[in-house]
């Protein structure tokens, strides 16, 4: 994990492998961003023109390397694009700083130390840069053991030193501590998503949660197949029936003596989704190890809340199962009796996420939390609607949905509010059971949300985040987002917990 340090040293005097500076697109060309004044001066005020000669424009994510000026202890200056220059008297947005720091950290993989001379107007800016550097430096190389792969896989940037900051200031220290906790836990969520399903089945995931609970003072309860059977968790058991890896329901409880509110986070944790008897075709199942990304996000958020000692009670529910075809698997046409007592006719075994979530939502509702938020890679329909980088938000309360959207945008997680049209509910009527797990094909993401709503306790505020698009990046890395597991929704959940602790639930 990349170490974070705060430094008052001048860019020229710091021993590092590179000095990172920001550049932006101005009305008349490239502009050197605040924080890099000393570096620009060392180039006789000609850094912008030198960079333009090399083809730099200041565009977001653009990287240009050049030899450091004479007298610098670092051999390289790395200029990273921040995008459009803000209007006069306005600062760069936190997300621009996060992305720039992330790009720089990833570019400097293999380096021991980099000095970040990016714009810092206040402690929050320092936190954004620190967060971006930690997330951008991430790599997953646990399974690359051949000599050739090991040589190609450079170690993450070992240390990021932030310049232009106040190391002794409490606000700056707090932001770095927050970024460290959040970055480490979000990266752990990425590790879980990237871990092959033969090494991360429900039992193994539960063990990871138990170990984290011991480390951070979180109470962890694991319901195995016997406890699930005794408790009547028909949805979780039905989904896991076809696998030799038995399902689990994991409860993580972080409590604060000063808490006045209680949040419940529920995560879909299908450690591998073959589709079951409704088998996925080739081309659609190769990345289905990522179908537990919602549970990974919930797990990371609860641990982060504990590490930050937030004044709010947070309970995480991880609904873990492996969806496989076999002679014991649930069949299309089977009826499951859920934990809530409702019966569900299973028309498609590949609509399994809503079944495990339904049991977890009903169980979480028994504690009457002030709000429930579930996170799931739930539907391909949401990806069709919003693309690969934006998740959908549905809720039974418009104000709460708006608050989640605002929080997501604030922390840099693109999202969009989606409706729950009442007319789509009729499509899930069943002649055999209380409800079917499928409805109309058009608006499938909304249908899934309506299904989940049926299992939320009366009077409880609830939101559903469908992260099917952004949870797993099959393209190239961008900003601080790597290829593979991304940790989508972790930062939204953590910020929601922070706001709730401060008395603003939304």
């Amino acid at each position: 994990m990349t170490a974070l340090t705060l430094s008052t040293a001048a860019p020229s005097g710091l021993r590092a492998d590179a000095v990172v500076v920001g550049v932006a697109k101005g009305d008349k060309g490239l502009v050197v961003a605040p924080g890099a004044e000393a570096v620009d001066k060392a180039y006789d005020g000609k850094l912008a023109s030198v960079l333009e000669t090399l083809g730099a424009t200041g565009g977001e994510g653009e990287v240009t390397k050049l030899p450091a000026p004479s007298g610098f202890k670092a051999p390289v200056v790395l200029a990273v694009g921040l995008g459009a220059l803000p209007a006069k008297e306005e600062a760069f947005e936190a997300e621009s700083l996060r992305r720039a720091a992330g790009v720089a950290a990833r570019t400097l993989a293999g380096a021991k130390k980099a000095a970040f001379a990016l714009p810092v107007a206040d402690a929050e800016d320092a936190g954004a840069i620190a967060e971006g550097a930690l997330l951008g430096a991430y790599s997953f190389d646990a399974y690359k053991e051949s000599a050739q792969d090991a040589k190609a896989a450079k170690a993450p940037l070992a240390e990021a030193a932030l310049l232009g900051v106040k190391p002794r200031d409490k606000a700056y220290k707090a932001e770095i501590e927050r970024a460290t906790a959040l970055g480490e836990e979000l990266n752990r969520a990425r590790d879980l998503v990237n871990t092959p399903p033969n090494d991360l089945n429900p039992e193994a995931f539960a063990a990871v949660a138990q170990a984290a609970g011991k480390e951070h003072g979180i109470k962890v309860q694991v319901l195995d197949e016997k406890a699930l059977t005794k408790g009547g968790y028909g949805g979780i058991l039905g989904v896991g029936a076809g696998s030799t890896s038995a399902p689990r329901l994991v409860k993580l409880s972080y409590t604060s003596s000063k808490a006045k509110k209680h949040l419940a986070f529920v995560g879909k944790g299908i450690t591998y989704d073959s589709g079951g008897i409704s088998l996925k075709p080739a081309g659609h199942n190769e990345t289905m190890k990522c179908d537990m990304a919602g549970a990974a996000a919930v797990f990371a958020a609860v641990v982060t809340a504990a590490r930050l000692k937030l004044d709010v009670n947070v309970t995480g529910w991880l609904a873990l199962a492996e969806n496989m075809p076999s002679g014991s698997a649930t069949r299309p046409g089977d009826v499951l009796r859920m934990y809530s007592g409702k019966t569900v006719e299973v028309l498609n075994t590949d609509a399994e996420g809503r079944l495990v979530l339904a049991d977890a939502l009903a169980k979480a509702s028994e504690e009457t939390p002030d709000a429930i938020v579930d996170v799931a890679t739930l539907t391909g329909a949401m990806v069709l609607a919003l693309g690969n980088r934006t998740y959908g938000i549905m809720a039974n309360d418009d104000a709460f949905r708006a608050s989640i959207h605002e929080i997501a945008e604030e922390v840099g997680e693109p999202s969009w509010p989606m409706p729950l049209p009442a007319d789509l509910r009729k499509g899930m009527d069943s002649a055999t059971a209380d409800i079917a797990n499928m409805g109309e094909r058009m608006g499938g993401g909304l249908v899934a949300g309506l299904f989940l709503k049926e299992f939320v306790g009366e009077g409880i505020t609830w939101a559903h985040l469908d992260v099917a698009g952004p949870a797993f990046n099959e393209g190239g890395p961008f900003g601080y987002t790597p290829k593979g597991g991304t940790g989508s929704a972790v930062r939204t959940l953590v910020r929601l917990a922070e706001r709730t602790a401060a008395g603003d639930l939304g």
Side-chain angles (χ1 to χ4, degrees):
M1 186 71 181
T2 303
L4 293 173
T5 56
L6 300 177
S7 177
T8 57
S12 60
L14 197 67
R15 292 189 182 279
D17 295 288
V19 175
V20 178
V21 299
V23 292
K25 275 187 172 183
D27 292 336
K28 298 181 180 179
L30 183 144
V31 177
V32 177
E37 292 87 353
V39 179
D40 187 31
K41 184 177 180 180
Y43 284 100
D44 297 325
K46 297 178 180 179
L47 178 56
S49 60
V50 170
L51 289 168
E52 284 187 315
T53 300
L54 294 173
T57 65
E60 183 180 303
E62 183 182 79
V63 172
T64 308
K65 288 183 180 180
L66 65 164
S70 176
F72 272 56
K73 292 183 178 179
V76 173
V77 169
L78 188 150
V80 59
L82 291 160
L85 186 71
K88 192 175 182 180
E89 306 300 327
E90 290 187 13
F92 285 93
E93 293 184 357
E95 181 63 6
S96 296
L97 299 177
R98 279 190 210 100
R99 291 178 179 177
V103 169
R106 184 171 58 255
T107 302
L108 293 169
K112 292 183 178 179
K113 185 174 182 178
F116 284 72
L118 294 172
V120 178
D122 52 30
E124 287 74 17
D125 285 350
I129 294 168
E131 185 180 314
L134 288 175
L135 299 182
Y138 173 83
S139 65
F140 185 74
D141 304 311
Y143 293 83
K144 294 185 176 181
E145 296 183 0
S146 71
Q148 183 177 354
D149 286 341
K151 186 177 180 180
K154 296 180 180 179
L157 172 66
E159 181 184 347
L162 275 60
L163 308 185
V165 296
K166 301 174 182 178
R168 297 182 180 180
D169 187 279
K170 288 184 179 180
Y172 280 82
K173 287 182 178 180
E175 285 291 336
I176 298 306
E177 289 173 0
R178 178 187 185 277
T180 299
L182 177 60
E184 289 180 352
E185 296 310 324
L186 193 152
N187 283 341
R188 173 153 51 176
R190 289 171 168 178
D191 282 347
L192 288 168
V193 175
N194 288 327
T195 299
N198 57 319
D199 281 346
L200 190 75
N201 58 25
E203 183 179 2
F205 197 149
V208 171
Q210 288 174 313
K214 288 181 180 179
E215 182 180 358
H216 299 292
I218 301 167
K219 183 179 179 180
V220 180
Q221 179 185 6
V222 178
L223 299 186
D224 61 14
E225 61 269 38
K226 291 182 180 179
L228 292 170
T229 300
K230 184 177 179 179
Y233 294 86
I236 296 174
L237 288 167
V239 172
S243 175
T244 55
S245 297
R248 296 286 188 272
L249 178 61
V250 179
K251 178 185 179 183
L252 301 102
S253 302
Y254 162 68
T255 57
S256 167
S257 60
K258 299 179 182 179
K260 295 182 179 180
K261 296 288 185 180
H262 175 202
L263 295 175
F265 298 151
V266 177
K268 172 188 172 183
I270 306 300
T271 57
Y272 180 73
D273 181 20
S274 69
I277 297 297
S278 305
L279 193 66
K280 293 179 184 291
H284 291 77
N285 54 20
E286 291 81 1
T287 60
M288 281 298 103
K289 64 181 182 180
C290 77
D291 215 19
M292 37 59 67
V298 166
F299 166 64
V302 176
V303 176
T304 303
R307 291 182 60 173
L308 296 178
K309 296 180 171 59
L310 300 182
D311 294 335
V312 57
N313 292 337
V314 183
T315 305
W317 299 88
L318 316 181
L320 309 175
E322 186 177 62
N323 187 24
M324 296 290 285
S326 73
S328 61
T330 295
R331 298 160 289 254
D334 282 356
V335 173
L336 304 176
R337 186 172 297 277
M338 311 296 282
Y339 177 79
S340 66
K342 289 184 179 180
T343 55
V344 176
E345 182 181 11
V346 179
L347 298 181
N348 187 327
T349 64
D350 196 22
E352 83 300 328
R354 64 199 71 182
L355 298 175
V356 300
L357 286 173
D359 275 354
L361 286 168
K363 183 62 177 177
S365 295
E366 290 182 346
E367 298 185 348
T368 59
D370 293 285
I372 297 176
V373 180
D374 77 70
V375 185
T377 47
L378 205 62
T379 66
M382 196 58 61
V383 185
L384 291 173
L386 299 178
N388 291 317
R389 296 190 183 183
T390 303
Y391 68 72
I393 309 170
M394 284 152 270
N396 60 4
D397 181 285
D398 288 348
F400 189 54
R401 182 183 63 185
S403 179
I404 296 290
H405 181 223
E406 178 185 299
I407 288 170
E409 295 299 309
E410 175 190 340
V411 301
E413 295 191 322
S415 65
W416 197 251
M418 302 294 282
L420 290 172
D423 61 284
L424 291 178
R425 169 61 182 84
K426 185 173 178 57
M428 289 184 284
D429 285 350
S430 167
T432 308
D434 295 323
I435 189 172
N437 76 328
M438 292 291 289
E440 294 182 28
R441 182 169 177 268
M442 299 302 174
L446 313 183
V447 170
L450 286 166
F451 180 90
L452 296 179
K453 183 181 177 183
E454 296 275 328
F455 297 88
V456 177
E458 189 71 28
I460 298 176
T461 301
W462 158 79
H464 161 56
L465 313 184
D466 189 338
V467 297
F472 195 83
N473 175 27
E474 295 187 59
F478 59 93
Y480 47 78
T481 302
K483 183 180 179 65
T486 65
S488 180
V490 173
R491 292 179 294 149
T492 297
L493 296 181
V494 171
R495 180 66 85 198
L496 174 62
E498 289 173 324
R499 279 197 179 189
T500 303
D504 180 19
L505 179 54

